Amino acid sequence: MKDGIEQSKVPEVTLIFWIIKILATTLGETGGDAVSMSMNLGYAVSSAIFIGIFLIAVAAQISVRKFHPFLYWFVVIATTTAGTTMADLADRSLGIGYPGGTSLLFALLMISLFVWYRSEGSISVNTVSIPRVETFYWVSILFSQTLGTALGDWMADTNGLGYEGGALVFGAGLAAIAAAYYFTSVSRTALFWAAFILTRPLGATLGDLLDKPLANGGLAFSRYLASAVLAALIVACVAMLPQRAGTHPGQPEANRI
């Protein structure tokens, strides 16, 4: 609590937030593929590993009383790596394909947001200041990251767009959301969640572009090297670029999302 303003446990949503988010989602793709494919552990084992890391990380995040940038972004990376292997498991190992996996994950995300809204009366990230709300937040984040992976793979692999075309499509979608933010009165909360979901398939296609073979339209970089470079960039951004916690609804800055 500072000057009567209750601080959120998540960062203020600014351009810096979105830069780090896209880097994190790209790392999630290369890192998830490194474990499931390069290490040959498979989607099920890799998902179990990353879900375990996510549970430990999110427990630490919920237990602290204020916003810690490195811890917050570590949990985001945990959700995006888990999302990569979970989406691949749903799409490729459960026999439901990209349409089925995407539909299932979309339904799970909508259910999590609906339950959150029914319980708290808002799904704004500025309300994330107590453990109960933070639990809703991270469950929704995990589902959104997994959905974004499935959506990105579906778009790149089955619609003839390739990784560059998929990245352009999702980049254009994010540009449209940014235009709606600046030039319309559409709900800022709705725009946040739309952007959060779309940054994940953008990261998925960028990650695939980096590490897939040349014959498949990728650049054939080592998954380990790509992941290490992306991780270093994230650490540098978090360390050097200023971030602060968002504020509780009812305060002037709460409408920035």
Side-chain angles (χ1 to χ4, degrees):
M1 198 63 126
K2 181 181 179 180
D3 297 328
I5 299 176
E6 187 174 357
Q7 295 296 311
S8 172
K9 293 280 293 296
V10 303
E12 185 179 25
V13 181
T14 63
L15 178 60
I16 293 169
F17 175 93
W18 293 117
I19 290 171
I20 300 174
K21 170 62 165 59
I22 292 171
L23 288 172
T25 57
T26 308
L27 172 59
E29 189 70 17
T30 59
D33 286 349
V35 174
S36 64
M37 297 180 187
S38 297
M39 294 183 182
N40 294 314
L41 294 181
Y43 301 130
V45 172
S46 300
S47 295
I49 291 171
F50 288 126
I51 290 171
I53 293 172
F54 163 71
L55 291 174
I56 293 170
V58 81
Q61 165 69 16
I62 292 174
S63 69
V64 299
R65 299 187 63 181
K66 61 182 182 179
F67 170 62
H68 295 278
F70 280 103
L71 179 57
Y72 173 85
W73 287 110
F74 181 76
V75 182
V76 171
I77 292 169
T79 65
T80 195
T81 48
T84 295
T85 54
M86 288 168 61
D88 288 341
L89 178 66
D91 294 339
R92 301 167 187 173
S93 298
L94 298 183
I96 58 178
Y98 291 125
T102 301
S103 299
L104 172 63
L105 293 164
F106 179 78
L108 290 172
L109 175 59
M110 292 300 103
I111 289 169
S112 68
L113 291 174
F114 176 76
V115 173
W116 179 3
Y117 183 81
R118 290 284 294 179
S119 173
E120 306 300 326
S122 173
I123 56 172
S124 170
V125 296
N126 282 330
T127 66
V128 183
S129 57
I130 60 174
R132 182 181 68 254
V133 178
E134 196 169 3
T135 300
F136 285 125
Y137 173 78
W138 286 114
V139 169
S140 299
I141 293 295
L142 181 62
F143 285 142
S144 75
Q145 302 278 42
T146 311
L147 169 62
T149 302
L151 187 60
D153 289 344
W154 187 13
M155 181 69 70
D157 292 347
T158 65
N159 289 292
L161 292 174
Y163 303 123
E164 301 96 329
L168 288 173
V169 168
F170 294 119
L174 288 169
I177 291 172
Y181 177 88
Y182 286 108
F183 301 113
T184 75
S185 58
V186 175
S187 165
R188 277 22 187 175
T189 297
L191 290 176
F192 169 83
W193 284 108
F196 201 96
I197 292 169
L198 281 185
T199 52
R200 182 62 187 98
L202 175 61
T205 52
L206 289 174
D208 285 337
L209 177 63
L210 289 173
D211 66 25
K212 289 297 187 285
L214 294 172
N216 294 341
L219 298 176
F221 288 116
S222 161
R223 294 186 179 110
Y224 302 119
L225 175 61
S227 298
V229 171
L230 288 164
L233 286 172
I234 292 169
V235 170
C237 286
V238 174
M240 298 173 62
L241 299 177
Q243 294 183 82
R244 61 178 182 177
T247 53
H248 192 280
Q251 302 300 332
E253 296 186 15
N255 294 322
R256 293 194 62 174
I257 295 177

